Amino acid sequence: MTIANGLLPILAISLYLREIDVKKLKSKIHLVLTITVTLLLLLIGIQYGFAIFGQFNTRIQLSGTTDATEGEFVINSILIGIYGSALAVSSLFNILILRYKWHYVMTFGFGLIAVLIAGSRGPVLNLLICSVFVIFYYIKKNKYKIHKIFFFIIFAFLGFIALVTLYYDNLIQTKTFIRITESIDNRKMDKKEARDFEWESAWNQFQDSPFIGDSYLNKFDNFYPHNFFLEVLMATGIIGLIPILFLFYSIYKHIKFNFSRENDFNVLISILCFLLFITTMTSGGIFTISYFWSCLPLFFLNYHSSKTVITNF
């Protein structure tokens, strides 16, 4: 699964690097995200009904069965939230940076609905952090034209107040709100969640075999530990961590370059890659985060194209 979901997307794109039309690629990223989230919302509506606020009260997962014990889910809640947060961030970037059009406001709403329906904490955090990056980039790029961001913040704040006022009883019952408040309460009471035990198990297994690693499954629940770096340490030890650190240093260097050159589309790809990377800190495993591995070649491709040097990486 690691080869299929991780290495093959990188290999496929790198082999055909010279044939990829970056200009056409730029116009397709937001379109693909929009189609994906729209289809997810339609599937959710068909399977569970179209009462939106009713869906916010549960953690939606698409599968062929309603019993969680019967096989794996085809599309789980975290993945729905990831696509939703990516679409919302892409829409916000288009509204502030590229060109303001009404349909970007609509797609931002679609993304936000997907995040809330997913009922997962990670995508909410991703959306907030990456939105801050988008706003920071806008301020950096338009030092003397920041009125637009103030109008957007005021509009968003008034919209939020109106939403809370009209639907307060519904909002406090949403699964997203409940899970966030429960996490805060658990931290205050030093009460551990399943993920805390998974992280502890991964760290202990790394300490038992620090150089070559122990296993790709933790001993707490025979599952991946839901943290990229802990999983690398647990499964491959320090030897496996070294090339990963080189990879992420290269990513950091490229992101810094993109922000300094103010190439809008490359910055958007950088932010989306960062959004997917944050997800790997709390959700998914190395062999399940195909969306992250597929995004990396596009990230490096756009970095090289902005330098007018197209080469295999």
Side-chain angles (χ1 to χ4, degrees), residues 104-121:
Y104 290 125
V105 178
M106 182 179 67
T107 55
F108 179 85
F110 283 179
L112 190 59
I113 289 172
V115 170
L116 293 176
I117 283 180
S120 296
R121 295 160 292 184

Side-chain angles (χ1 to χ4, degrees), residues 43-89:
L43 287 170
I44 290 169
I46 291 170
Q47 186 163 340
Y48 298 99
F50 288 92
I52 295 299
F53 276 104
Q55 308 300 1
F56 291 166
N57 297 337
T58 184
R59 198 176 183 200
I60 291 296
Q61 302 191 89
L62 294 179
S63 75
T65 174
T66 56
D67 188 353
T69 62
E70 297 182 18
E72 283 193 35
F73 290 112
V74 177
I75 305 175
N76 65 24
S77 57
I78 294 174
L79 192 57
I80 295 171
I82 290 170
Y83 286 130
S85 59
L87 177 61
V89 168

Side-chain angles (χ1 to χ4, degrees), residues 2 205 213-218 222-225 231 234-236 287:
T2 303
Q205 287 174 242
D214 175 52
S215 168
Y216 67 92
L217 297 176
N218 70 68
N222 288 322
F223 214 37
Y224 49 80
E231 185 174 1
M234 177 188 73
T236 64
F287 56 86

